Amino acid sequence: MTASSPPAGIDAEHPSTLRLLTGRPVRGLLTIAFLTRTTAATLPILLLLALADAHGYARAATVGGTYTLVLALCAPLRGRLLDRCGPRVLLAMAGATTLLLALVAAGIHYAWPWLTTLPLVIAATLTSPPLNAALRSSWRRLATGEAQLKAVHSADSVLEEAGFVLAPLIAGAALVLLGPRHGYETAAACFVAVMALYLAAAHRHHLTPARTPAPAAAPRNRGRRWLGPLALPGMPAILLPLLVMGALFGGTGILVPAYTQHEHATAWLGPLLAATSTGGVLGGIAYAALPWRSGLWHKYRILTLGLTTPALLLFLARPLWLLATLLLIAGLFVTPLFINAFLLTDATATDDMRIEANTWIGATADVANGIMATITGTLVQAQKWDTALLTLTCCAATGAAATLLQMSRHRARPARSDVGEGQPTPAATAQPTAAGDARPAQAPAVSGATDHHP
């Protein structure tokens, strides 16, 4: 075999990866996932507008804020329920969610008191099946190699980011054509329909094991029993960049509309809100297409620095063009960070807590998003724009400093390989060392800034 043989082998792998993405069942599952996430991202927007139409923005915001908090805190619990009870619980959760969404729609249509609608929204959130995490946990059952697993995760994340770009446009069109109440009813019906499609596809293609995964060996302490994936070595390092990401974009999500109104520059509102997601789509496509031969942990740290570096200049971003530029550049690293987070989680978690581990990725970003949105809202209410921008800069600086500290510690241990760094056992969680090496070793047992909808 000549020295030029490896590139030829790599090139030969691309057609099989393309066939996986464009063939059955992955093509259909990606389509269903895109539809599910887009409709799920549309629902909160229309819910806010429908409740505001009936009860005013103050009460609508109370419902929306409570829903977001419940979503972030309870997503891992729903994932743990699915991990422990197996696929049979999906149908029960989907049926309960359908009923509760119908009651929420009825409450909005007939203008029930908002204190009646609030518990219905919370209940629908609690019972909603974690479809995103369940789907991402199933990719390892469909991919046959490291490059294929990276490719399918990349396509999944890019489509998810595209859904967040499309959702506000759909919500705006529904608002104009149907009005807030009928728009919400239509979006809820569409979500139930695509949820049914997913459940049918999951059953048809055996995306979940027929039996509940056997629990892993008993831990030496009770931490893993109560904390679940959070007790696994490596998970805190995976979640730290997501905390920073959630804080940055939770703060800018409040700052942007308030600041554009203050500057009487509402024409900038759309481009500023779309800048991050646009960068996420472009960055995800570039990350999937370009070769990057390095360990996942090393890439994860570099991507974290890529996200936080432009955010270090946010304290200067009083000009709107500079704010838009910094958000676009930071957004380039959002989707690649999510892709690596899911791949690292897939390599770290054991089968008895794989879905719950995937839910923590979105939940971590959501918690930080909600906290920073509250802080930023208080600052912009007092028109302390420089303080708000400086607070976001400090968040970015904290994330960058923690990442540089991790990199310096890793360089101080040259004898240790990047393989298995921060992982519980080499046999079940070997860390890949190439750009596409994200395929985890099979665990002893038989083998998803989230599910955003009320």
Side-chain angles (χ1 to χ4, degrees):
M1 185 173 291
T2 65
S4 60
S5 296
I10 293 173
D11 293 338
E13 196 171 7
H14 292 318
S16 64
T17 301
L18 184 61
R19 284 194 300 269
L20 174 72
L21 294 176
T22 58
R24 300 175 61 185
V26 173
R27 179 185 60 190
L29 290 172
L30 287 173
T31 302
I32 293 172
F34 173 75
L35 294 174
T36 303
R37 291 160 181 163
T38 303
T39 54
T42 304
L43 278 176
I45 302 173
L46 291 171
L47 175 67
L48 177 68
L49 296 172
L51 289 174
D53 182 62
H55 306 291
Y57 273 99
R59 292 175 176 175
T62 300
V63 175
T66 305
Y67 148 75
T68 302
L69 182 61
V70 171
L71 172 71
L73 296 178
C74 294
L77 297 179
R78 292 183 289 127
R80 181 175 297 191
L81 178 65
L82 187 55
D83 276 326
R84 294 186 176 181
C85 298
R88 65 181 182 274
V89 78
L90 273 176
L91 186 59
M93 295 176 73
T97 301
T98 300
L99 175 61
L100 290 165
L101 284 176
L103 291 174
V104 172
I108 290 174
H109 183 81
Y110 295 106
W112 293 353
W114 74 281
L115 286 176
T116 302
T117 305
L118 176 60
L120 291 175
V121 170
I122 294 175
T125 304
L126 289 172
T127 61
S128 177
L131 300 183
N132 280 349
L135 180 64
R136 285 194 168 99
S137 299
S138 69
W139 290 137
R140 65 195 296 271
R141 301 171 59 83
L142 299 174
T144 57
E146 294 83 358
Q148 286 190 356
L149 188 63
K150 177 195 172 184
V152 73
H153 270 291
S154 299
D156 193 12
S157 295
V158 169
L159 285 174
E160 182 176 24
E161 199 65 35
F164 286 118
V165 176
L166 186 60
L169 302 178
I170 295 176
L175 181 65
V176 172
L177 297 175
L178 302 173
R181 299 186 184 187
H182 293 304
Y184 177 81
E185 294 165 3
T186 303
C190 290
F191 177 78
V192 171
V194 295
M195 181 171 58
L197 287 176
Y198 171 83
L199 294 176
H203 177 73
R204 178 180 180 183
H205 299 293
H206 307 288
L207 297 185
T208 52
R211 299 179 180 178
T212 304
R220 296 180 180 178
N221 54 55
R222 296 183 179 180
R224 184 169 173 180
R225 176 182 177 184
W226 296 106
L227 297 178
L230 295 182
L232 293 175
M235 280 301 294
I238 295 173
L239 298 180
L240 176 61
L242 303 175
L243 279 172
V244 177
M245 182 193 300
L248 289 176
F249 298 130
T252 55
I254 300 297
L255 176 69
V256 164
Y259 190 52
T260 52
Q261 286 185 341
H262 176 263
E263 295 292 310
H264 304 288
T266 54
W268 279 90
L269 178 60
L272 283 168
L273 290 177
T276 302
S277 294
T278 301
V281 173
L282 296 176
I285 294 174
Y287 178 76
L290 299 177
W292 185 3
R293 299 195 171 281
S294 183
L296 280 179
W297 280 108
H298 179 71
K299 288 191 289 186
Y300 199 53
R301 291 160 184 156
I302 295 298
L303 290 169
T304 303
L305 292 177
L307 172 74
T308 55
T309 298
L312 292 174
L313 301 177
L314 281 174
F315 72 99
L316 300 174
R318 289 297 293 270
L320 293 175
W321 65 267
L322 179 57
L323 180 60
T325 302
L326 293 176
L327 291 178
L328 178 63
I329 296 173
L332 293 172
F333 300 91
V334 170
T335 301
L337 262 175
F338 272 118
I339 294 170
N340 273 263
F342 286 118
L343 292 173
L344 284 169
T345 300
D346 195 61
T348 300
T350 53
D351 288 326
D352 62 314
M353 57 179 63
R354 190 169 301 280
I355 296 176
E356 181 186 355
N358 275 277
T359 62
W360 272 109
I361 294 176
T364 300
D366 284 340
V367 169
N369 188 308
I371 294 173
M372 187 52 62
T374 302
I375 296 173
T376 305
T378 303
L379 293 174
V380 301
Q381 181 70 27
Q383 297 190 4
K384 295 182 178 180
W385 310 109
D386 290 332
T387 305
L389 290 169
L390 183 59
T391 302
L392 296 176
T393 301
C394 291
C395 291
T398 301
T403 302
L404 290 173
L405 180 61
Q406 290 178 352
M407 295 178 74
S408 65
R409 288 180 175 178
H410 179 66
R411 285 195 296 267
R413 300 192 301 268
R416 292 189 58 184
S417 167
D418 195 36
V419 176
E421 178 184 339
Q423 307 300 333
T425 58
T429 58
Q431 178 63 45
T433 56
D437 292 344
R439 180 70 171 175
Q442 293 296 323
V446 179
S447 350
T450 48
D451 301 297
H452 296 277
H453 67 87

